[in-house]
């Protein structure tokens, strides 16, 4: 069995320092430490659990980003993935979710046959939760979203428990299928010391746009119909704080205000 895991390197939003924003309101990415997107770690764990149950399974991790995203592949290998590559090219710059999912779908196609694709439900920086479902659409795959547990797997099908707002649902899908994994899924296992030593000097493969044979008109800015009209830098000042007594009327009033201000 061949499994692909999609994992994104994201800014560590839990450790935002004073110089995280540039004076012009844009993000100072160089000042932000990066981490493995949390739900992608859970997706990796689910893939590794399939590997544990199915002999001769390989797990390949793909990340799209700048060259330093190779840290994701190294981390994934140390935790149990077999291999992986970084998809990196200036021609991907400015990609919205449509162009990102196209590039990743091409990367999956270029990597050969597969049975399962695991991704996180959403990335903590972009937060759209669109990339997984868009890739399924582009690859013509069925998809299981909001996965929280692997119930069983065979060479023909997979059974997954999904976490929904009002409860859980258990679904079965024939392979190949794409699964998006939520934060309710089990945590990822730790890196193994012997794998750390084994892979310490193994380089990470980097593939560029030519390697995935795309339609270049669908990459980067050219392939991104999303237009960002305006970016606001919101800094809460002391005057934005309101002290409310915890009464039913106050709560109702607050909810009305939040809705009127389009905050929720
Ligand atoms: C107009 C526009 C221009 C943009 N320009 C840039 C730019 O120049 N550079 C830039 O970095 N971003 C840019 N972005 C942001 C970029 O489009 C998103 O970060 C990207 O599409 C992923 O969306 P998301 O973060 O919402 O992922 P989600 O849809 O929330 O992610 C779901 C899952 O998909 C997988 N996934 C998502 N992204 C990746 C990835 N890169 N590699 C591997 N797996 C992944 C992960 O498993 C993840 O958990 C731009 C966005 C817009 C709208």
């Amino acid at each position: 069995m061949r499994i692909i895991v999609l994992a994104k390197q994201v800014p560590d939003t839990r450790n935002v320092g004073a110089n995280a924003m540039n004076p012009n309101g844009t993000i100072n990415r160089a000042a932000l430490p990066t981490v493995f997107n949390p739900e992608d770690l859970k997706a990796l764990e689910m893939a590794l659990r399939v590997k544990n149950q199915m002999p001769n399974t390989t797990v390949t991790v793909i990340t799209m980003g700048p060259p330093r995203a190779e840290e994701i592949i190294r981390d994934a290998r140390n935790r149990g993935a077999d291999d992986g590559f970084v998809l990196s090219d200036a021609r991907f710059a400015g990609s919205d979710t449509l162009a990102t999912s196209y590039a990743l779908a091409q990367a999956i196609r270029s990597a050969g046959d597969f049975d399962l694709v695991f991704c996180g439900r959403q990335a903590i920086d972009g937060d759209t939760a669109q990339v997984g479902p868009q890739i399924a659409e582009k690859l013509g795959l069925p998809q299981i979203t909001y996965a929280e547990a692997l119930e069983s797997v065979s060479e023909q099908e997979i059974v997954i428990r999904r976490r929904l707002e009002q409860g859980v649902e258990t679904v079965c899908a024939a392979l190949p299928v794409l699964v998006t994994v939520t934060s309710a899924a089990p945590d990822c296992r730790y890196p193994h010391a012997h794998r750390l030593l084994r892979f310490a000097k193994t380089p990470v493969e980097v593939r560029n746009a030519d390697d995935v044979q795309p339609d270049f008109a669908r990459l980067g800015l050219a392939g991104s119909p999303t237009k960002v009209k305006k970016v606001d830098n919101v800094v809460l000042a002391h005057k934005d704080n309101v002290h409310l007594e915890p009464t039913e009327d106050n709560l109702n009033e607050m909810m009305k205000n939040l809705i009127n201000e389009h905050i929720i």
Side-chain angles (χ1 to χ4, degrees):
M1 191 177 262
R2 175 107 192 285
I3 304 177
I4 306 283
V5 176
L6 298 175
K8 185 180 181 189
Q9 191 176 47
V10 292
D12 184 358
T13 47
R14 289 161 306 183
N15 287 303
V16 177
N19 55 353
M21 300 297 286
N22 292 315
N24 64 2
T26 58
I27 295 174
N28 180 8
R29 287 190 183 263
L32 288 173
T34 53
V35 288
F36 207 117
N37 182 53
E39 287 182 345
D40 301 351
L41 268 180
K42 303 215 167 200
L44 174 62
E45 175 60 27
M46 207 171 275
L48 294 174
R49 287 182 183 212
V50 173
K51 179 177 162 80
N52 289 153
Q53 291 181 35
M54 302 291 297
N56 303 322
T57 293
T58 58
V59 175
T60 300
V61 179
I62 303 176
T63 187
M64 174 173 150
R68 75 167 173 175
E70 71 158 49
E71 291 158 11
I72 293 295
I73 307 298
R74 290 189 182 282
D75 191 3
R77 272 191 324 213
N78 293 339
R79 292 172 192 265
D82 296 277
D83 56 21
F85 61 89
V86 185
L87 189 61
S88 191
D89 196 310
R91 288 171 285 181
F92 297 130
S95 297
D96 64 5
T97 59
L98 194 70
T100 301
S101 61
Y102 174 67
L104 286 169
Q106 287 300 111
I108 294 170
R109 280 200 183 98
S110 76
D113 291 341
F114 60 87
D115 304 283
L116 279 160
V117 180
F118 284 102
C119 357
R121 175 197 46 151
Q122 84 185 39
I124 58 170
D125 56 346
D127 256 359
T128 65
Q130 291 174 3
V131 170
Q134 286 187 11
I135 290 173
E137 190 67 26
K138 289 183 171 74
L139 294 176
L141 294 177
Q143 54 184 289
I144 303 176
T145 52
Y146 299 100
E148 74 165 5
L150 169 69
E151 297 284 0
S152 65
V153 63
S154 70
E155 278 181 10
Q156 287 75 40
E157 62 181 34
I158 190 165
V159 180
I160 292 277
R161 191 169 76 231
R162 305 177 67 217
R163 168 62 49 182
L164 305 173
E165 259 177 41
Q166 315 256 315
V168 295
E169 184 179 71
T170 301
V171 293
C172 174
L175 305 185
V177 63
L178 180 144
V179 180
T180 77
V181 180
T182 73
S183 56
D187 287 337
C188 192
R189 63 200 64 186
Y190 290 113
H192 300 255
H194 74 270
R195 294 184 73 90
L196 265 155
L197 292 174
R198 187 169 134 205
F199 292 117
K201 291 195 176 142
T202 310
V204 171
E205 187 190 352
V206 179
R207 295 193 186 176
N208 64 25
D210 298 312
D211 293 327
V212 300
Q213 299 179 346
D215 169 358
F216 285 93
R218 297 177 69 181
L219 295 185
L221 265 186
S224 300
T226 312
K227 300 287 169 254
V228 179
K229 202 171 161 197
K230 188 170 163 237
V231 178
D232 279 331
N233 182 13
V234 180
V235 179
L236 292 181
H238 181 66
K239 68 180 172 56
D240 296 320
N241 297 319
V242 178
H243 181 80
L244 293 177
E245 291 305 322
T247 65
E248 195 74 18
D249 284 350
N250 279 347
L251 283 176
N252 285 337
E253 190 58 30
M254 182 182 77
M255 291 306 284
K256 257 191 252 157
N257 287 339
L258 290 174
I259 291 167
N260 288 340
E261 301 275 330
H262 301 291
I263 293 170
I264 57 174

